Amino acid sequence: MTVLDQARQWLAEDPDPRTRAELTALVERAERGEDAALADLADRFGARLEFGTAGLRGALGAGPNRMNRVVVMRAAAGIAAWLGPESGHVVIGYDARHRSADFARDSAAVLAGAGHRVSLMPGPLPTPVLAFAVRDLGADAGIMVTASHNPPADNGYKVYAGAAKAGGPEDAGTQIVSPADTEISAAIDAAGPVGALPLGRDWTVLGPEAVERYLDAVTALVPGKDRDLATTYTAMHGVGGRVLLAAMERAGFPRPSVVAAQFDPDPDFPTVDFPNPEEPGAMDLALAAGAADGSDLVLANDPDADRLALAVPGHGLLTGNEVGGLLAEYVLDHTSGPDRVVAASIVSSSLLGRIARERGVRYEETLTGFKWLARAGGPGQRRVFAFEEALGYCVGGDGGRPVADKDGISAALVAAALAARARRDGRTLVDLLDDQARRYGLHLTDQLSVRVTDPAVLSAAMRRLRAEPPAAFGPLRVVGVDDFAAGHAGLPPTDALRFRLEDRGRVTLRPSGTEPKLKAYVEVVLEVGGDVAATRALGSGLLAELMASVAGVVGG
């Protein structure tokens, strides 16, 4: 069947007038022999969006290799079949991206038509509110329609497991892991044409209590009375703004100043090239506003508010690893017991491991992604904190963790509480970083990405590095290599290499799971014998040498 035949078949099935019009125009151009139109059709119909542990994510448009109502309805049918013939309860949330509300309602119709009970969130809300609701309502599964901090043309679909599918009540509300992804994918393949799917209309739209219960849970994570703090906040054109302000008010903090141009949800993200606080320039408006307002701290969420970025005016942005170390200490200061577990991903700083050892709590490394981090620990252990360097944090307390996923709202509350406590003593988060350097050693990190046009280049590079590992990176010798391809240290297999360097440095390499690039994560660790600033300058120079060496080795 040619791509033109596939496109015509798709048109007969597509219930969406917008994508039908788009595809009809493309088919007409292709029928006239336009090369660009034929290439576009080949891209749309030569592959399909694969359903994995991260669900679905891709550009909006017609065809199986795009996000659209056909793809989403088939995904919902697959989830309905995966849940089984008995009626289950599914909670569906969505952000403010293009088509998110449509995809959420389509999913509700398909799941209700399959006999499941469906609760729809009351409007565009942060991803962690949906993850909380799965646990809070005892649901069997959750769906979040979001593409997080992807470009405006994208959308996506994440699936959360209830207690039965997750393996127990402690893991309820976590993102799915294998084999759930392959089971859902197989059920999608068996779903048949969307026109034959029974559609229901009997679902419940949750009221404001869904958000109220979330706010009660996350504000309980910040006990104490230190609240005197001036903050500036940006929602990055996403859905976190009103929930973040409500959380700050409920916890007793002064109302943050907001970056008005970025506060209201806007799926076009007009003030940023890329709506990710980590990207160059994305925080410029917030940093300028924080300086102008005289704020002590700048807070930023990504568009679905599951990540948090922090900046201290006059100092600049803190790295995800620096924030992870600070939040971990706050959580450990406000929890107790030998059953506590903290976790970080294999590409994050080793600082958390050092903190855990000195404080006598269990530390675990996991693969990247909160589908793994949220499951750290075992029976009888309390998961009180987890983080990844890409601005993701999961905070808990002695009463448990409200959200078994990364949450930029609760993390912002903890950061504000920590900064307010420091301010009471005439100090800032930067001073607390220096305290940690003196106690645990100075941990400096950086990363780089090598982008390629042919993904085969990545596989070849990893094979070369396995066959001929470098003897050194810059001035530091390689003293050991951890190969995660076969499941290092009991972890599931993944394509990653970690080169352990003398003096506790390390370089971790892995191909990106979503883009054609090789990512390198570099860390140096120095003990602070005297002046922290001098040690930091020495470490920064060493880190720069390592980064240059890594770029040469990876590029070679």
Side-chain angles (χ1 to χ4, degrees):
M1 183 183 294
T2 69
V3 290
L4 274 170
D5 291 333
Q6 293 177 63
R8 295 183 188 108
Q9 187 178 75
W10 184 278
L11 284 170
E13 181 182 5
D14 192 346
D16 190 338
R18 279 188 269 186
T19 46
R20 281 203 313 272
E22 168 198 326
L23 186 55
T24 297
L26 189 58
V27 167
E28 290 173 351
R29 289 172 50 210
E31 288 173 336
R32 292 195 297 268
E34 291 187 23
D35 290 341
L38 286 166
D40 195 351
L41 285 176
D43 183 55
R44 292 167 184 257
F45 290 90
R48 71 169 195 174
L49 293 182
E50 294 293 337
F51 191 97
T53 53
L56 296 166
R57 192 171 294 186
L60 292 163
N65 202 28
R66 299 286 189 273
M67 284 294 296
N68 50 66
R69 292 181 62 193
V70 174
V71 166
V72 164
M73 292 172 75
R74 288 174 57 83
I79 294 165
W82 171 68
L83 287 171
E86 298 296 323
S87 176
H89 182 196
V90 183
V91 188
I92 302 174
Y94 56 99
D95 65 10
R97 283 180 173 267
H98 293 295
R99 309 309 304 271
S100 285
D102 296 333
F103 294 164
R105 286 190 291 268
D106 281 337
S107 298
V110 171
L111 285 155
H116 296 292
R117 183 161 64 96
V118 178
S119 296
L120 191 65
M121 297 301 283
L125 287 166
T127 293
V129 180
L130 178 279
F132 169 81
V134 174
R135 292 166 69 86
D136 185 52
L137 297 176
D140 298 289
I143 295 168
M144 183 67 195
V145 182
T146 181
S148 189
H149 52 263
N150 271 40
D154 289 1
N155 213 324
Y157 204 77
K158 296 172 68 172
V159 179
Y160 291 81
K165 292 290 189 180
E170 178 57 27
D171 289 336
T174 51
Q175 296 179 47
I176 59 168
V177 295
S178 293
D181 57 332
T182 55
E183 293 168 352
I184 294 172
S185 184
I188 292 171
D189 290 342
V194 295
L197 294 174
L199 303 180
R201 297 182 179 180
D202 186 18
W203 63 77
T204 300
V205 177
L206 298 172
E209 71 280 355
V211 180
E212 293 296 312
R213 289 176 61 82
Y214 166 81
L215 291 171
D216 286 342
V218 297
T219 53
L221 295 170
V222 285
K225 297 181 180 179
D226 293 316
R227 296 293 187 263
D228 186 12
L229 188 74
T231 57
T232 295
Y233 170 74
T234 177
M236 204 68 68
H237 299 296
V239 293
R242 287 168 179 77
V243 179
L244 184 285
L245 293 187
M248 292 285 281
E249 179 182 5
R250 187 163 303 196
F253 292 101
R255 180 183 175 89
S257 298
V258 302
V259 180
Q262 296 178 331
F263 185 77
D264 291 325
D266 188 331
D268 292 318
F269 308 110
T271 68
V272 292
D273 293 330
F274 203 94
N276 180 353
E278 291 183 293
E279 291 294 318
M283 290 286 290
D284 286 356
L285 287 179
L287 293 173
D293 294 338
S295 292
D296 303 302
L297 188 64
V298 176
L299 307 165
N301 288 137
D302 67 339
D304 71 328
D306 65 350
R307 299 174 193 246
L308 170 73
L310 295 181
V312 176
H315 174 81
L317 281 167
L318 275 60
T319 69
N321 285 318
E322 289 173 332
V323 175
L326 292 175
L327 298 188
E329 292 241 76
Y330 180 94
V331 170
L332 293 175
D333 284 344
H334 291 86
T335 56
S336 60
D339 58 342
R340 292 173 294 170
V341 178
V342 296
S345 68
I346 61 172
V347 300
S348 299
S349 172
S350 60
L351 172 61
L352 183 58
R354 180 79 175 266
I355 293 172
R357 285 192 297 274
E358 297 234 358
R359 287 174 169 263
V361 301
R362 181 178 176 85
Y363 167 72
E364 285 195 11
E365 272 193 324
T366 77
L367 299 185
T368 56
F370 267 83
K371 59 182 178 285
W372 303 113
L373 283 163
R375 289 175 165 82
Q381 297 174 334
R382 282 185 298 128
R383 302 157 172 88
V384 294
F385 182 74
F387 92 98
E388 60 184 1
E389 47 74 39
L391 309 184
Y393 316 97
C394 176
V395 296
D398 277 334
R401 52 180 182 175
V403 177
D405 195 18
K406 58 183 176 290
D407 180 358
I409 305 291
S410 60
L413 293 178
V414 171
L418 182 60
R421 188 174 69 184
R423 187 181 190 280
R424 178 196 62 192
D425 300 327
R427 313 181 78 223
T428 71
L429 294 185
V430 178
D431 297 313
L432 300 188
L433 289 175
D434 286 348
D435 291 347
Q436 287 192 326
R438 295 184 186 96
R439 181 172 181 181
Y440 305 115
L442 177 64
H443 293 66
L444 295 178
T445 60
D446 204 348
Q447 61 178 278
L448 64 86
S449 297
V450 178
R451 188 175 291 274
V452 300
T453 54
D454 181 3
V457 173
L458 301 181
S459 300
M462 296 298 286
R463 285 196 302 271
R464 171 174 58 82
L465 291 165
R466 286 187 168 96
E468 301 175 5
F473 286 95
L476 299 183
R477 292 183 299 109
V478 174
V479 297
V481 182
D482 300 326
D483 190 345
F484 294 87
H488 173 73
L491 298 176
T494 193
D495 189 9
L497 287 168
R498 180 162 63 198
F499 298 92
R500 289 179 278 111
L501 311 180
E502 58 185 327
D503 298 330
R504 294 165 52 203
R506 60 187 192 178
V507 173
T508 306
L509 304 174
R510 72 176 184 96
S512 170
T514 57
E515 300 176 84
K517 62 184 181 181
L518 186 65
K519 303 186 75 172
Y521 305 83
V522 183
E523 179 175 38
V524 297
V525 183
L526 291 83
E527 296 303 319
V528 178
D531 182 30
V532 177
T535 307
R536 196 177 294 279
L538 178 65
S540 296
L542 177 58
L543 185 63
E545 286 188 74
L546 284 182
M547 291 293 289
S549 177
V550 169
V553 169
V554 171

